[in-house]
Structures are given as C-alpha cells and as structure tokens.
Amino acid sequence: MFSLRLLPRWQHVARSRCRSSCSRPTGRAGPWGHGLDLSRYRPTGVGLRLGADLRRLSDVAKPRSSVLAQTAAGLGVFLGFDAAVRWLIDTSEMKTLPSQICSMLSAFGGLSLAQVIAPSSTTMLHQALLPAVAWVGRWLPVFLVPVQVMLPTINFPGGLAEAGGLAILLGAGWFGAVVLGARLVGVLSHQAITAPAAGGRSAVKMGLWLPLGWLLLAALVAPAGVKPEVMEALVVGGGDEEMARSLRGLSLASVGVGSFALAMRQGLPGHLCFLANGAATIAVAAAMAFARNESYSQVVKRDYLVGANGPPGSGDRLLWCLGPALVATGVQMFQYRARIVALSKVLFLSCAVVSLSNIVGTVVMGPLLGISPEVTLAATMRCVTIPMALPTYARLCEESGAENNVALVALCAGLSGFIGFGFSQRLLSSAACHAHLDPVARGIATGAAAHALGAACLVAAEPEAFVWGMLAMAVSGVASSAWICACAPLRETLLSLAYRRAEHGG
C-alpha cells in the first residue's frame, strides 16, 4: 500500500487538476489528462483499483503458449485415462460395452464421485481440462471421416434399386426417430426446458498456415507413396512397400485434416466442413488408385482403413482417437450433472422407445422397399454407433445364418449419422419437433436417431444439447442391444419379418 504523501508530484498535479476542473470542463493539461482527482481516492481504494486493472491486463495478455500447454496437458490426460480404461477392460474381459463408451461414462462418473470427496480440487481440475475439451470439440468430425471414405466400397446385392430403397428407408427412419424423440422428451418432461444463457465466447481464429501446412505435407509425401521408386532415389533403402504404404496413409490423413481446417477457416457450416473433408479424402484415394492401376477399394482397405486385416492405417488411427475424444465428452457432461440426474428418467424412457421403434420400423419397411434380408438386418443398427452396433448385428447374423457384412452396418450407420449431422438442427427447429430452445429434446432426439456423428453437429453451437446427444447415443446403443440380444421373442419376430419377402419369392 502506498500513500499520497510519498508521491508529492502526484499530489501536486492532482490538486492543480482539481482546482481547474470546475471552470474548465474540457481540454487536457499535464501528463495525467484533464479532471483526474487523486485527492478524492483513498489509498486502499487506489490499491484495489490498480489490482483490478492489473488482473484485467494479465487476463488479456495471457500468453498463447500457456493456453497451448494447458490444452496439450489436457489431451495427455484424456489419452492416459482412455488407455487405463482399455487396459482394465482387456484384463477383466468385460466386453459388455465398447471401450470408447466406457471411457466416456467413466470420466463422467469419476468426476462426479470426486466432486463429493474433494469439491474444490475437482472444480479446479475440470476448469483446467476445458481448453482441451474445446479443442476436441472443434476437431471431432475429423475422427469420423473414415466412415465417409468407406462408403464407395459398398456393393448392394440388388443393385441401384436396392440402394435407392435403402436411402429412402434411412432418410424416413431418421426423420421419424428425430420427431418421435423430440416429442417424447416434451411429453415426459411436462414442460419445455430452455438452455441457460451461453457466455459470450468468441470464435477461435485460424490462420491460413495450418490448413496449408497439412495440404503441403500431403503433397510432399504422396508421390513417394504412389511411386516407391521416387523414395528409393532419395533415400537409400526407402523404397520398400511398407514405407510406401505408410506414406500413402499419411497423405490421405493429411488431406483430410487440411481440407477440414480450410473449410472451417472459410466459415462454412459444420456439415459442409465434414462433407468437404470426406470428399477430399475420397478424391485423393481415387487418384492414388488410378495412378497405381488399382481399385479404390483396394487402396482404402490396404492403406487407410485396414481393421483387423493387417497393421493399422491412418484411418484406423483416426477412429482410435474417438476413445480419448469421448473422454473429453465425459468431462463436458460433468458440468451438466445436476440436470442429467434430474432428467435421467426422461433420457432412459425416450431412448428405449425410440430404439425399439427404429428396429421394428426397419424390418417392417425394409422388405416393402425391396431391400434384401441381409441389408435389412444391417439397417436395424442404423441409429447405433458402429462399435456398439457390430456385436448386436453379429448376434442377428448368427441366428439367421446370414453373412456378417460389417461394411453394410458401417454404411447404414454412417449415412444415418451424416443425414443427422447435416439436417438435425433444422428439423428440430421446425414445427414437426417444436424443440427450438430445449437442449434436452434436441440432444436426445439427435443422439437416438443419428448417434455420435449426428450429435457432432451440436458440439460447437449447442454444448449442452451435444452432451445429451452423446448420452442418448450410449443409452440407445445399450437399449438396442438389450432389445435384440436379451429379448428372444422380439429377435425371432425381427428375423421372420426380414425374411418374409424372400420366403414368398419377392
């Protein structure tokens, strides 16, 4: 604390300014400007004002490096937590839920439990993780692009006619699921729930160097991947096929990230950014296939999205990133824990009803639209995220003797998710759903109809609705598995309906 007596020059200037303030309301004089009267300020008051100004200046001048370091530390926490959950699942052989969903729910449950034990420390930890949560929310659609890249590899038994019937089924099914989910939430909650006012958060500006850097990296490594002899001429021993395969995968991933960043910088809507990302990756993969005189499917399944058929490609690694990304979603859920507990009944009942209607409606309408039994069975999982859909679909194939075609499940779930990603917000704001301001209805309807990919459309503009969408994705997946795997009469009915047209020679 200082005193004005220790600053005679300040005191002199302040008194002279004060004497002249009454007769001269305008103009400036001296280094402090006109009208400054320090004699009216108490020393303590000056100290408080200066402290507030310094804190404000420190917030404005907070270095970008500290924000980046905090984001990197948060991402490291997400990676470590997801790895621990995967290790626990592998060692305990608990395969009831996919590890990604377990990571998300464990993060939310762990923070909720810690809040009871050490509330202040938990709050500090949650605040420290928020920059990383924001980063994940910004780039989450990139991790879902491999679903788009796989779509051109699908072949339908019934040709274009069956593909058209499936498109109608998926579009109509998504529309019905969104409307039903929104209306159910409105009925069960008895009143519209409005979102709290969002804080004034400015959009993060992205420099042109980021997208251009990724696209330049793709351009540099693509020639060596397409033509291994180019790498062999530059690096001794660098022309082997495994190195070329890695470079092709790196090029595809770099094009995906760069095109998404470029679309975001141009201010395009989220679903158009996602579409541009997938279209650019598909185009480069097709160009690689043409240059190497190979098929598109061969390039994608060998270099990008390999699955269990070999060493993971760049697409496999992008899908793997969904695990840590869902940990960030669990952290984001924590701030809405009170509303989640209060409305848990609405969540479970809505998802149970919507999932049952999705399954039954698919097997009823599939044969009527000329869809084969194999594709119809895969379409029953259209509203379930792929990691949860595959085990349930395998159970249907085991019961019916049909081929377990994973690509069909990826197609149905991917198209349903993409439709939801592009059009859910408009439909929810229409008179059909009447859910303009209700984040619970908007999130549950989107997650139950279009799983994680559909919910990703809400991540930036509607954070609470996104949380409800991810919760609905998990609950709908569990409900769908329970309806099919644990309810034998329903499963037998589904199989009989799916094969009804085939048995009658249709």
Side-chain angles (χ1 to χ4, degrees), residues 219-232:
L220 291 176
V221 301
V226 174
K227 300 293 184 181
E229 55 269 19
V230 175
M231 177 60 68
E232 188 174 7

Side-chain angles (χ1 to χ4, degrees), residues 211-283:
L212 291 184
W214 281 104
L215 295 176
L216 179 61
L217 175 62
L220 291 176
V221 301
V226 174
K227 300 293 184 181
E229 55 269 19
V230 175
M231 177 60 68
E232 188 174 7
L234 297 175
V235 181
V236 177
D240 61 346
E241 182 57 31
E242 185 59 31
M243 174 68 74
R245 172 185 172 274
S246 300
L247 292 176
R248 290 193 295 270
L250 176 60
S251 176
L252 292 173
S254 301
V255 165
V257 177
S259 58
F260 184 80
L262 184 61
M264 278 201 306
R265 189 182 185 280
Q266 298 303 314
L268 296 179
H271 65 284
L272 294 183
C273 294
F274 181 70
L275 181 61
N277 189 354
T281 308
I282 290 172

Side-chain angles (χ1 to χ4, degrees), residues 379-445:
T380 58
M381 297 291 102
R382 59 186 172 81
C383 297
V384 183
T385 183
I386 293 176
M388 301 183 73
L390 294 180
T392 306
Y393 171 67
R395 180 65 180 273
L396 283 175
C397 293
E398 181 182 352
E399 292 284 337
S400 64
E403 180 185 359
N404 190 347
N405 193 337
V406 176
L408 287 176
V409 179
L411 171 68
C412 296
L415 285 180
S416 295
F418 183 72
I419 294 172
F421 190 96
F423 304 103
S424 288
Q425 289 177 300
R426 292 185 180 181
L427 178 58
L428 287 165
S429 299
S430 67
C433 296
H434 194 63
H436 302 271
L437 300 174
D438 187 349
V440 181
R442 294 173 71 86
I444 290 178

Side-chain angles (χ1 to χ4, degrees), residues 278-299:
T281 308
I282 290 172
V284 172
M288 285 184 178
F290 177 79
R292 292 177 58 86
N293 197 23
E294 297 174 341
S295 66
Y296 174 86
S297 178
Q298 186 176 359
V299 170

Side-chain angles (χ1 to χ4, degrees), residues 144-153 252 277-279 281-282 285 296 300 304-305:
L144 298 166
V145 167
V147 176
Q148 287 190 78
V149 179
M150 284 296 295
L151 297 183
T153 65
L252 292 173
N277 189 354
T281 308
I282 290 172
Y296 174 86
V300 170
Y304 185 70
L305 198 61

Side-chain angles (χ1 to χ4, degrees), residues 300-372:
V300 170
K301 294 182 178 180
R302 182 195 60 214
D303 303 330
Y304 185 70
L305 198 61
V306 181
N309 298 324
S314 56
D316 298 286
R317 293 186 174 90
L318 286 176
L319 288 178
W320 179 89
C321 290
L322 284 176
L326 290 184
V327 174
T329 302
V331 174
Q332 191 174 3
M333 289 176 184
F334 173 72
Q335 65 192 86
Y336 304 108
R337 60 193 179 280
R339 296 192 9 140
I340 291 173
V341 172
L343 297 171
S344 57
K345 179 180 178 181
V346 175
L347 172 67
F348 288 115
L349 288 178
S350 299
C351 292
V353 174
V354 173
S355 62
L356 180 61
S357 65
N358 287 338
I359 295 170
V360 176
T362 299
V363 294
V364 169
M365 295 303 300
L368 299 178
L369 294 172
I371 302 175
S372 63

